[in-house]
Amino acid sequence: MSETHIWWIRRDLRLQDNPALTEAIKGADQFIPLFILEPQLMENAAPFRRAFLINALIDLDHQLQALGSRLIVRSGPAFQALTQLTGETGSAKIFVTRDYSPFARQRDNEIRQAMGLFSTAGITLREPDSVLKGDGTPYSIYTPYKNKWLHEPPPTPADCLPKPDSLPPLPEYLFSEELSIEDSVPGFIAATGEAHRRLEAFTKIGLVHYQSNRDRLDLDGTSCLSPYLRFGLLSARECFAYAHIRLLQTSEANTRDEIQTWINELIWREFFTMILSYHPQVLDGPFREELAAIPWREVPADLHAWQQGQTGFPIVDACMRQMLNTGWMHNRGRMIVASFLTKDLLVNWQEGEAWFMAHLVDGDPAANNGGWQWTAGTGTDAAPWFRIFNPILQGRKFDPDGTYIGRWVPELAKLPPKFRHEPWKLNAVEANDLNFKLGRDYPERIVDRSISRERTLTAYQFARDQAGSNRT
Ligand SMILES: Cc1cc2nc3c(=O)[nH]c(=O)nc-3n(C[C@H](O)[C@H](O)[C@H](O)COP(=O)(O)OP(=O)(O)OC[C@H]3O[C@@H](n4cnc5c(N)ncnc54)[C@H](O)[C@@H]3O)c2cc1C
């Protein structure tokens, strides 16, 4: 009997180094590359993320066509779409890359029970259950996790699976929905060729300065690979392998540190994926239960100002507007705005988490939740709850000339650099000469930081006291 295999593509939009694809073509007489536009995915996707996904699918379809196949696209809940497709083709085996979000796990379990599912690793290099403590329990602190993670030998480019030379034929007369190309996402061409070009360029040039430049908002100091990793246009293994090669070629200790720092960031991605896999409840509340009772403020006007980049704090506004305009924000920026929302405005981090998911091109439940809980101090391994970033000092340090502010907050670009971080410090004559008026050209600050710090420390202490009294 002839075998039909479905490669159900989810977060692995690539032909190279794809274990699920490699398994799916083995022994297949007929082969169906399938993407399902699931309502859960499409309705909740940020417009930039959706556009990136659609354009990446079109790119993948072109690559499949070059191998004599094509992408089959269906809409609807996955269970329904797969039931229909397997009904059309007769029995078929379904191959996937494992996904660890609670939604994906529940969906996959139902499908596995009803029609079988062959799954492989591939979203991360090391699977969540492969890096555990000696007693078999998961880590909740990054550094020991990273040390254990680094125990296993690193991958080399030779470990990455090649792109197949040919594919088994597609069954005849299969219906596919047409995808229409979307407006491209600023700064991110959604194609695997672009993902590789970036990885090669970054590992050749940027990687050896990564540690030094990664926090500078005014420089291109990071790889900007996050959307490609989010949708798997690039595998985590390829990133680790390329970085490791550079490490092997380098004997100078400082340069090795620069490279190792990037590898460590990739391991943060694996860590947060593991955390979500073992602690799905983090999507509903704080990892550290003793901080569950923080009396967050309900201040819709402040939240709105933060969302729109109108807080009156230039570095915060620049970062928020970068995300609104491009779907991406620098990591340092993400930490600054998250600290501002949670600790200066005392607004629940879940508001920020949701806003990021609604706008980020790389929005990923595990990394996003991990980043928010880390900054709010409620997560695993979190920044100490009493650490509150000063947005002015952060801005001065990581955007020393105010170039980044000038780019994203154009109403401040005409101010001399030293005033871009604190436009309220212009005296009346200077402001008049520049035809600049605070409150008219740029908002007044929405919070008095001399009060907000105490307010936040009191609120966090309250939650800790509550937890303490509940225990006694
Ligand atoms: C509040 C907050 C929310 C975040 N939300 C997301 C998100 O939704 N999606 C997302 O991919 N990252 C998220 N991050 C992590 C980080 O900000 C981005 O991964 C990074 O800015 C992407 O830029 P890059 O590709 O140039 O990263 P690089 O610095 O070049 O790092 C390489 C890759 O490592 C991974 N990575 C780097 N830092 C982290 C980290 N701290 N946690 C997890 N993975 C990391 C990313 O895949 C990244 O592409 C968030 C961080 C914070 C503080």
Side-chain angles (χ1 to χ4, degrees):
M1 212 177 81
S2 83
E3 287 239 2
T4 302
H5 291 181
I6 297 171
W7 169 37
W8 176 20
I9 303 154
R10 293 107 60 94
R11 293 189 53 171
D12 55 341
L13 275 66
R14 62 176 184 277
L15 299 183
Q16 78 294 343
D17 196 33
N18 191 325
L21 168 64
T22 305
E23 287 305 307
I25 58 180
K26 272 186 204 157
D29 299 300
Q30 302 193 99
F31 171 72
I32 308 172
L34 169 72
F35 192 88
I36 305 172
L37 301 167
E38 297 174 78
Q40 169 81 13
L41 180 70
M42 304 315 289
E43 285 161 16
N44 296 329
F48 284 127
R49 197 157 70 249
R50 186 182 187 285
F52 186 88
L53 168 66
I54 297 291
N55 291 347
L57 287 170
I58 293 171
D59 173 66
L60 182 64
D61 186 30
H62 291 155
Q63 296 179 55
L64 289 164
Q65 289 186 27
L67 295 176
S69 184
R70 85 188 150 99
L71 184 67
I72 299 298
V73 179
R74 298 283 172 96
S75 289
F79 193 96
Q80 195 180 307
L82 287 164
T83 308
Q84 189 176 344
L85 183 62
T86 49
E88 288 166 32
T89 56
S91 71
K93 288 184 181 163
I94 306 165
F95 294 79
V96 295
T97 300
R98 279 192 277 282
D99 186 344
Y100 312 100
S101 75
F103 165 76
R105 291 177 88 129
Q106 189 183 337
R107 173 198 62 193
D108 290 358
N109 279 340
E110 285 166 13
I111 290 168
R112 183 176 290 107
Q113 277 165 23
M115 47 194 120
L117 202 59
F118 296 85
S119 66
T120 63
I123 286 188
T124 50
L125 177 63
R126 310 231 193 278
E127 290 230 83
D129 61 1
S130 72
V131 184
L132 298 173
K133 292 193 229 168
D135 63 2
T137 59
Y139 288 98
S140 57
I141 302 196
Y142 169 75
T143 304
Y145 169 86
K146 178 192 73 176
N147 294 340
K148 183 74 177 286
W149 193 103
L150 288 166
H151 250 72
E152 295 292 314
T156 67
D159 296 323
C160 298
L161 299 166
K163 182 174 163 176
D165 296 328
S166 62
L167 295 172
L170 197 68
E172 284 182 359
Y173 312 120
L174 267 192
F175 158 76
S176 174
E177 286 169 31
E178 287 294 318
L179 294 175
S180 310
I181 200 145
E182 300 264 340
D183 286 345
S184 61
V185 179
F188 293 105
I189 298 169
T192 53
E194 172 66 9
H196 280 107
R197 189 198 63 71
R198 274 176 194 237
L199 177 61
E200 279 168 35
F202 177 73
T203 47
K204 211 177 274 171
I205 303 161
L207 183 56
V208 294
H209 306 292
Y210 180 75
Q211 189 179 30
S212 310
N213 292 343
R214 61 188 285 246
D215 282 318
R216 285 284 296 270
L217 290 154
D218 54 338
L219 304 178
D220 292 328
T222 68
S223 69
C224 289
L225 283 171
S226 48
Y228 302 93
L229 280 161
R230 163 68 181 82
F231 286 108
L233 278 72
L234 198 62
S235 74
R237 175 160 50 197
E238 290 171 301
C239 293
F240 281 112
Y242 269 72
H244 186 65
I245 285 285
R246 290 292 272 146
L247 209 51
L248 290 179
Q249 292 164 344
T250 311
S251 53
E252 216 261 310
N254 287 345
T255 311
R256 288 178 67 86
D257 286 347
E258 302 269 357
I259 299 171
Q260 188 61 48
T261 304
W262 194 64
I263 294 175
N264 294 347
E265 288 306 309
L266 291 169
I267 300 175
W268 270 108
R269 179 177 174 274
E270 310 244 323
F271 177 71
F272 284 139
T273 306
M274 179 278 291
I275 291 293
L276 182 58
S277 167
Y278 278 97
H279 305 281
Q281 76 279 6
V282 293
L283 292 184
D284 301 318
F287 179 85
R288 291 175 56 180
E289 283 165 14
E290 75 269 24
L291 290 178
I294 296 172
W296 300 111
R297 292 165 71 232
E298 296 279 340
V299 276
D302 286 2
L303 176 61
H304 183 74
W306 176 84
Q307 290 173 332
Q308 300 303 323
Q310 299 287 345
T311 66
F313 288 84
I315 201 70
V316 173
D317 294 343
C319 294
M320 295 304 289
R321 294 190 203 179
Q322 180 184 24
M323 181 172 74
L324 289 178
N325 283 290
T326 67
W328 191 82
M329 194 197 295
H330 193 285
N331 181 59
R332 174 58 49 178
R334 295 183 205 211
M335 292 195 289
I336 293 171
V337 303
S339 175
F340 186 81
L341 183 73
T342 54
K343 298 197 175 156
D344 283 302
L345 300 182
L346 196 58
V347 169
N348 193 334
W349 56 269
Q350 289 171 300
E351 294 281 1
E353 180 191 29
W355 187 252
F356 268 31
M357 281 313 277
H359 290 85
L360 283 175
V361 61
D362 61 21
D364 168 71
N368 192 41
N369 181 274
W372 274 98
Q373 295 230 35
W374 186 90
T375 318
T378 59
T380 61
D381 212 83
W385 57 277
F386 47 80
R387 184 194 293 160
I388 302 181
F389 279 2
N390 177 328
I392 295 135
L393 297 183
Q394 289 282 314
R396 286 205 180 285
K397 189 165 176 194
F398 299 117
D399 180 27
D401 302 326
T403 321
Y404 176 80
I405 289 179
R407 191 180 316 146
W408 295 109
V409 187
E411 59 269 39
L412 297 179
K414 64 180 173 187
L415 307 193
K418 67 173 180 168
F419 290 114
R420 287 189 194 162
H421 293 283
E422 294 173 279
W424 52 86
K425 287 204 166 159
L426 280 167
N427 66 34
V429 177
E430 288 164 331
N432 196 40
D433 285 350
L434 291 161
N435 188 22
F436 178 82
K437 192 168 182 327
L438 203 61
R440 180 194 69 191
D441 299 322
Y442 181 67
E444 305 265 8
R445 285 165 287 176
I446 61 168
V447 65
D448 178 350
R449 294 202 74 249
S450 64
I451 300 170
S452 61
R453 185 183 160 76
E454 269 321 300
R455 181 173 65 194
T456 296
L457 294 180
T458 308
Y460 274 65
Q461 191 55 52
F462 169 82
R464 288 161 60 87
D465 293 346
Q466 286 285 107
S469 59
N470 286 347
R471 268 199 295 273
T472 51

